[in-house]
Amino acid sequence: MFGIQDAIRAVTEKYPTSLYVSTCGFITRDLFGIADRPQNFYLVGSMGMAAPVGLGVALARPDKHVVVLDGDGSFAMNLSVLPMIAEHAPDLVHVVLDNGLHESTGGQRPVRIGDPAALALAAGYRAAHRVSSADEFEDVRTERGAPSLVHVRCAPRGAHAGRRVEWTPQQLVARFRAEAVA
């Protein structure tokens, strides 16, 4: 089974020129440590908001491909955004990293969503995939110009998260805007 850091590495390698929006907590810290760049927008303390922010970025920059890195708990907090993403049909890949834990806050079990891929399809996403290994992820094909969801089953974290993002929220906005949205 994929480790979360391995999954993030695989996603960034598959979509190296995309704009990224990552959910708060360890996922943001991992992305920061693995592939920091100005085209990454790190949410710090905004659980459940990666997909809505990713949609906003995709609508502001329809010429860019957007990847949202969400956690299973964060995904469950804001399911109402799925039909809105489907309605606007942005060039967006919504990756849900699912290890069955709120690891950033101590390992509590999140509310379980039976089948995030089926839920995304029911909401109107063009495609949805379920993967749990690097080989399965390599076979994922997403369609440009339409939203897709990739539900990645991950093993619980065996290692610590990466270091904390070193910029203030204001600095993150300015950095991202200068490189990605301007």
Side-chain angles (χ1 to χ4, degrees):
M1 188 175 286
F2 248 149
I4 286 183
Q5 292 169 337
D6 293 331
I8 291 170
R9 200 170 284 107
V11 171
T12 59
E13 289 171 4
K14 188 173 194 111
Y15 306 108
T17 61
S18 299
L19 301 178
Y20 280 77
V21 176
S22 60
T23 191
C24 63
F26 286 178
I27 291 173
T28 273
R29 290 171 63 177
D30 288 336
L31 179 62
F32 178 67
I34 291 168
D36 178 43
R37 60 199 185 100
Q39 295 83 4
N40 296 350
F41 190 72
Y42 307 111
L43 293 178
V44 180
S46 299
M47 189 169 180
M49 296 307 296
V53 171
L55 173 60
V57 170
L59 292 175
R61 288 304 306 264
D63 58 315
K64 300 282 189 177
H65 182 254
V66 175
V67 175
V68 171
L69 291 177
D70 223 341
D72 49 340
S74 184
F75 176 77
M77 288 185 75
N78 207 342
L79 297 174
S80 62
V81 75
L82 298 179
M84 190 180 305
I85 290 171
E87 174 72 22
H88 290 285
D91 191 3
L92 182 144
V93 175
H94 190 173
V95 179
V96 179
L97 300 164
D98 182 357
N99 65 356
L101 298 170
H102 284 296
E103 284 187 310
S104 300
T105 61
Q108 304 87 349
R109 183 182 165 280
V111 171
R112 297 298 305 153
I113 302 299
D115 189 346
L119 188 58
L121 290 172
Y125 276 51
R126 183 82 45 89
H129 308 273
R130 296 170 197 86
V131 301
S132 59
S133 70
D135 290 336
E136 290 174 352
F137 184 72
E138 284 180 26
D139 293 336
V140 167
R141 300 290 174 256
T142 55
E143 185 178 328
R144 291 297 187 135
S148 299
L149 183 128
V150 182
H151 177 215
V152 183
R153 290 286 301 147
C154 298
R157 181 179 304 277
H160 293 287
R163 68 190 197 320
R164 293 184 185 277
V165 174
E166 57 194 39
W167 296 286
T168 67
Q170 295 82 4
Q171 290 170 321
L172 287 170
V173 168
R175 176 179 119 129
F176 185 75
R177 184 179 292 142
E179 290 295 322
V181 182

